Amino acid sequence: MNILEIKNIRKSFSNKNVLNGIDLEIKNGEISSIFGYSGEGKSTVLKIVSGILKQDSGDIILKSKNINNLEPYERLTPLVMDEPLLFPHMTVLENISFGLKLSNHRKKLLNSPKEILELLGITGLEKRYPSEISMGQAQRVSLARALIINPDILLMDEPFSNLDIISKIKVRKLIKDINRELKVSMLLVTHDIEDVINLSDKMFVLNDGKVQDSGHPSEVLKKPSTIDTAFLLGTENIFDGTILGIDENNNIIKVGIKTQDLKLGNEEKTGAAKNTAAAIEADFQGQGRLEKGEHVFAAIRPEEIMILREDRRASKPVRENRFSGKIVSKVFTSRMMEILIRTEENLEFKILIPFHAFEVMNLFEGKTVEVSLKKSSVHIIKKKKSSHSS
Amino acid sequence: MRKSLNKNKIFDLLVYIISFIFFLTLIILISGIFIQTSFVLFIKELKDAGLWNSIFLSFKLSFIVISINTIIGIPIAYVLSFKRSGVSFFLDLISTFPLTTSPLVIGFAVLITMGSLNPVGRFLMDRGIKFVFTPQGIVLVQLIISFPFFVNIVKTSFDSVNRKMIDLSKTLGASSFDVLFRIIIPLSYNGIIAGLAMSWSRSIGEYAATQMVSGVIPRITETAPIEVFVKTSYGNYPAAIAISGILMIISLFSLGVFKYFSYRTKTTNS
């Protein structure tokens, strides 16, 4: 059952269209995320759902009931924002009980304040004032304050953006646990893909005032449906190409790719698109409708490219899409080693491998290695009428 | 030698000298009235019942004024602070207008409007409501003159309440009533008390407009500032000095209250 449906919501501020017909469906008990650049109107969606802002047109359906004309206090859609925004004149306990005390509260309560405090690990802070607790604690109090009214859906607007990395991980886990234990539906807005991957059952990519992509985060991440989404999600190794052939029976699509990497800013560096440099194969299944000769983008995520070990015989998948190239550069990132390889065809691949693999394989700048692009990991993105150029 | 001619030091010196001269002048002017008369005469006048009558009357009326101020001032400050629109500009203009107008003119306007020749005044008088030469007339003019102080201070205080917090509280189930009484007012206590102190001292010291509608009826409409004028015109300086002294202590006290709470507003909201 859908707890929340957003139908064709439009909103503009002083002639600037922020939302151009948003459609969302959120299942009961799930965590959904809206992901997008800052200033794309993500927060506006939450404000409209909670009733703080009125949409120009469109419908908000909560529990199969149209709530367009309900005041914020008549909906059960509390917001948790990037700042805790605790009431400074109330103690922690008074803050949490705020929603309970309001006379027009309609439903039986989910938990007593005590239980909520325990659940969120903030027992003992009851009598403190907001100025006397830490940011991470304050954000938990803010969560408790929203949860205690037994919300139909909990709205969260970048709830982690002001937390340090340790609190962030803790609060994230807490939210996941709460969702599992109490089956509270949640809608999260974030510009951090980590939040989306860690928490959500479903993600919506908001771009240019529209939902451009939706689905399970791992699906959307692996197979973005448009080039805009691919850029937004930080997809690397995107190549301009043409469909050379389709072999349905053997589940193969052949794509001729050009040397130009479409990652923003690279056009200037490499000059105009060159002729087809190489052909790669991709799975036919799951790619959508494609035609021979069609201009497309081929993308493969940096963590999906394999560097072949010299001391082992190649297994079947590693024999697919093999290239030989030189390591041009290596960069330590926080979790992985980022390697740039230039092949003999002048293609550049960015590859992410674990540190231990980097050491075991004795990799260094200038070394020539064999790489393989697993067929099933090559994702083909259809070109839209207007191709991405900036 | 070079160092002592440092520009910043010259600047500091100038600022201190100018402030000190001003401060000294003010003290001399104000304390002048206290050394004009003998202490014995001053004490004798303080025992005069008429003097206390006028002071109590002033107290009574000004408390009525600030009570009404609270009731009408908070909604007006709310509209000015939270419901910004084209209309609120005019509302702000009108409610601040008495600040920049001569009190004498305001008193005169009330005298004319509430007089028997004006339809409004006649309408009210026919129903037994009199604003001319009555205490309620004094309350009316003092209200007009003092409420801009209250509204402006309270509005500034309301302005500093975090709007995101208010939005959030609405999603927790708070109606506009809850938001006002549970969040805005508790967070603006300091501002409200500062506003009350300011409008109270403005009202208790008001002379010109009050004089216009009071009719100077002893014990009924003769407030303390009017009493000062009356005593001066009789040549009874010790009595005038006694009342002036008390009025000054009152305003110093309420100014202290105002300053204390407005400083607290600034520190708690930052």
Side-chain angles (χ1 to χ4, degrees):
Chain A
M1 186 195 123
N2 289 331
I3 184 87
L4 178 71
E5 285 171 40
I6 296 177
K7 288 185 175 165
N8 201 18
I9 291 288
R10 286 168 193 279
K11 179 76 189 170
S12 57
F13 296 108
S14 51
N15 298 328
K16 191 186 176 264
N17 289 334
V18 178
L19 303 178
N20 298 318
I22 297 275
D23 291 292
L24 299 181
E25 283 185 0
I26 289 153
K27 286 212 175 73
N28 202 359
E30 283 194 347
I31 304 182
S32 303
S33 301
I34 301 179
F35 175 80
Y37 287 128
S38 306
E40 279 290 348
K42 303 190 297 288
S43 306
T44 308
V45 177
L46 292 194
K47 282 185 182 157
I48 289 172
V49 173
S50 65
I52 293 170
L53 277 179
K54 277 268 182 287
Q55 67 270 32
D56 297 339
S57 65
D59 293 309
I60 308 283
I61 317 284
L62 186 70
K63 280 179 144 179
S64 323
K65 255 174 35 194
N66 189 316
I67 57 164
N68 284 359
N69 295 320
L70 291 188
E71 290 289 326
Y73 76 92
E74 295 171 308
R75 308 177 181 197
L76 277 173
T77 54
L79 254 175
V80 173
M81 302 209 208
D82 52 346
E83 316 165 56
L85 296 170
L86 301 182
F87 307 122
H89 57 298
M90 299 181 194
T91 62
V92 164
L93 190 65
E94 285 166 341
N95 261 286
I96 293 174
S97 316
F98 180 81
L100 279 185
K101 283 188 186 158
L102 300 170
S103 50
N104 48 17
H105 189 262
R106 302 157 288 185
K107 301 212 166 161
K108 67 176 187 324
L109 310 166
L110 184 72
N111 289 78
S112 72
K114 278 250 164 68
E115 281 175 75
I116 289 264
L117 278 160
E118 237 165 70
L119 183 70
L120 295 185
I122 41 176
T123 318
L125 299 179
E126 292 91 332
K127 288 183 179 158
R128 300 236 198 130
Y129 279 90
S131 56
E132 300 164 341
I133 61 177
S134 75
M135 188 70 176
Q137 290 170 329
Q139 196 59 308
R140 288 167 191 226
V141 175
S142 180
L143 261 173
R145 185 175 58 174
L147 281 169
I148 202 157
I149 67 169
N150 190 11
D152 284 340
I153 186 165
L154 179 64
L155 308 173
M156 291 182 281
D157 189 353
E158 309 271 5
F160 316 109
S161 63
N162 280 321
L163 298 181
D164 59 84
I165 188 87
I166 295 169
S167 312
K168 191 181 204 165
I169 291 167
K170 278 187 191 163
V171 175
R172 244 190 222 150
K173 187 175 176 300
L174 201 61
I175 287 177
K176 191 93 195 163
D177 292 346
I178 290 166
N179 169 255
R180 255 193 233 125
E181 279 184 39
L182 304 178
K183 304 271 178 278
V184 178
S185 313
M186 300 179 183
L187 178 57
L188 171 77
V189 151
T190 181
H191 65 264
D192 186 348
I193 192 71
E194 292 292 319
D195 293 342
V196 177
I197 295 168
N198 275 299
L199 284 174
S200 32
D201 302 300
K202 191 172 183 184
M203 78 180 284
F204 300 91
V205 179
L206 191 62
N207 193 23
D208 281 337
K210 277 197 167 278
V211 174
Q212 290 219 330
D213 233 323
S214 65
H216 192 272
S218 64
E219 282 302 301
V220 177
L221 213 58
K222 270 187 193 158
K223 300 188 168 173
S225 68
T226 67
I227 191 76
D228 288 340
T229 313
F231 280 124
L232 199 63
L233 295 171
T235 310
E236 286 170 294
N237 302 323
I238 303 177
F239 298 93
D240 205 347
T242 317
I243 305 270
L244 296 178
I246 300 173
D247 183 350
E248 263 182 72
N249 297 333
N250 295 316
N251 189 24
I252 292 173
I253 295 183
K254 246 192 170 163
V255 188
I257 55 171
K258 298 170 187 172
T259 48
Q260 181 196 33
D261 185 348
L262 282 173
K263 191 78 192 122
L264 292 171
N266 258 18
E267 279 99 321
E268 292 85 38
K269 246 197 295 187
T270 50
K274 290 172 192 153
N275 289 331
T276 301
I280 56 171
E281 291 179 351
D283 274 357
F284 170 76
Q285 273 163 12
Q287 298 284 17
R289 278 190 51 174
L290 293 165
E291 282 169 32
K292 195 179 166 185
E294 190 176 338
H295 290 282
V296 291
F297 296 106
I300 182 156
R301 298 192 64 80
E303 59 274 19
E304 303 271 15
I305 300 180
M306 284 174 287
I307 298 180
L308 305 184
R309 287 178 65 161
E310 298 148 330
D311 55 341
R312 284 194 191 166
R313 204 188 305 153
S315 59
K316 189 187 169 243
V318 243
R319 274 182 254 134
E320 296 161 354
N321 298 324
R322 277 176 78 157
F323 291 94
S324 167
K326 253 189 190 159
I327 298 179
V328 185
S329 68
K330 62 172 183 19
V331 181
F332 283 102
T333 66
S334 61
R335 283 159 196 271
M336 299 272 252
M337 197 68 162
E338 190 183 289
I339 298 172
L340 192 66
I341 288 179
R342 186 173 297 131
T343 70
E344 289 155 357
E345 298 86 354
N346 217 14
L347 292 166
E348 277 185 3
F349 293 120
K350 191 175 270 180
I351 303 174
L352 283 173
I353 62 166
F355 295 126
H356 65 85
F358 186 81
E359 272 175 32
V360 167
M361 294 165 83
N362 188 28
L363 300 177
F364 53 86
E365 279 177 36
K367 185 174 182 178
T368 302
V369 289
E370 295 263 311
V371 296
S372 164
L373 281 57
K374 215 168 52 176
K375 206 165 122 271
S376 59
S377 306
V378 176
H379 175 55
I380 296 171
I381 302 168
K382 282 174 90 78
K383 271 192 189 178
K384 283 199 292 189
K385 303 126 251 169
S386 58
S387 78
H388 196 99
S389 62
S390 62
Chain B
M1 265 331 268
R2 262 271 153 106
K3 265 190 181 166
S4 64
L5 284 174
N6 179 324
K7 273 186 183 169
N8 288 355
K9 283 194 175 159
I10 295 173
F11 176 85
D12 283 354
L13 209 62
L14 278 174
V15 173
Y16 282 125
I17 288 172
I18 292 169
S19 311
F20 183 71
I21 290 172
F22 172 76
F23 190 66
L24 202 67
T25 316
L26 200 66
I27 298 267
I28 290 169
L29 282 175
I30 290 173
S31 61
I33 62 165
F34 290 104
I35 44 177
Q36 190 70 46
T37 178
S38 83
F39 188 68
V40 183
L41 267 177
F42 182 76
I43 294 296
K44 194 187 141 234
E45 282 305 326
L46 279 184
K47 288 175 183 160
D48 177 25
L51 177 148
W52 289 106
N53 265 333
S54 68
I55 286 175
F56 283 136
L57 181 68
S58 277
F59 263 87
K60 194 176 89 184
L61 295 182
S62 59
F63 272 111
I64 295 172
V65 167
I66 63 165
S67 309
I68 302 174
N69 257 334
T70 318
I71 296 164
I72 62 170
I74 288 177
I76 291 174
Y78 180 87
V79 172
L80 290 177
S81 180
F82 291 96
K83 302 273 180 195
R84 297 226 173 102
S85 67
V87 188
S88 61
F89 173 78
F90 289 104
L91 198 62
D92 196 6
L93 195 69
I94 293 163
S95 61
T96 319
F97 177 67
L99 266 184
T100 56
T101 316
S102 162
L104 197 69
V105 173
I106 288 169
F108 184 60
V110 171
L111 186 67
I112 296 292
T113 313
M114 294 305 176
S116 54
L117 295 176
N118 186 286
V120 178
R122 203 174 326 119
F123 176 84
L124 291 171
M125 275 179 185
D126 288 346
R127 277 146 193 85
I129 304 163
K130 266 185 76 181
F131 281 102
V132 174
F133 306 146
T134 59
Q136 52 266 36
I138 294 176
V139 169
L140 183 65
V141 292
Q142 291 191 352
L143 194 65
I144 296 170
I145 286 165
S146 70
F147 101 89
F149 288 89
F150 181 75
V151 168
N152 277 305
I153 294 165
V154 174
K155 177 191 172 283
T156 313
S157 186
F158 282 5
D159 284 344
S160 66
V161 177
N162 190 330
R163 304 297 143 128
K164 276 175 89 179
M165 190 171 76
I166 288 178
D167 280 347
L168 190 141
S169 73
K170 288 179 186 167
T171 71
L172 295 170
S175 67
S176 300
F177 285 102
D178 300 316
V179 171
L180 181 66
F181 289 109
R182 287 168 187 269
I183 298 167
I184 299 172
I185 289 180
L187 284 177
S188 306
Y189 274 146
N190 293 332
I192 291 169
I193 291 171
L196 285 177
M198 211 54 189
S199 61
W200 180 60
S201 63
R202 188 69 193 80
S203 145
I204 208 164
E206 214 296 312
Y207 169 72
T210 312
Q211 164 83 313
M212 271 283 171
V213 295
S214 88
V216 199
I217 305 162
R219 285 162 193 270
I220 297 171
T221 62
E222 202 176 81
T223 62
I226 292 175
E227 182 83 353
V228 173
F229 184 77
V230 171
K231 291 286 194 260
T232 320
S233 56
Y234 291 158
N236 187 354
Y237 278 62
I241 288 166
I243 305 170
S244 300
I246 291 166
L247 281 176
M248 257 188 252
I249 290 164
I250 289 170
S251 50
L252 198 65
F253 171 76
S254 60
L255 190 65
V257 172
F258 164 73
K259 288 283 180 197
Y260 176 75
F261 282 102
S262 60
Y263 274 119
R264 269 187 40 164
T265 312
K266 271 167 207 148
T267 48
T268 49
N269 286 335
S270 61

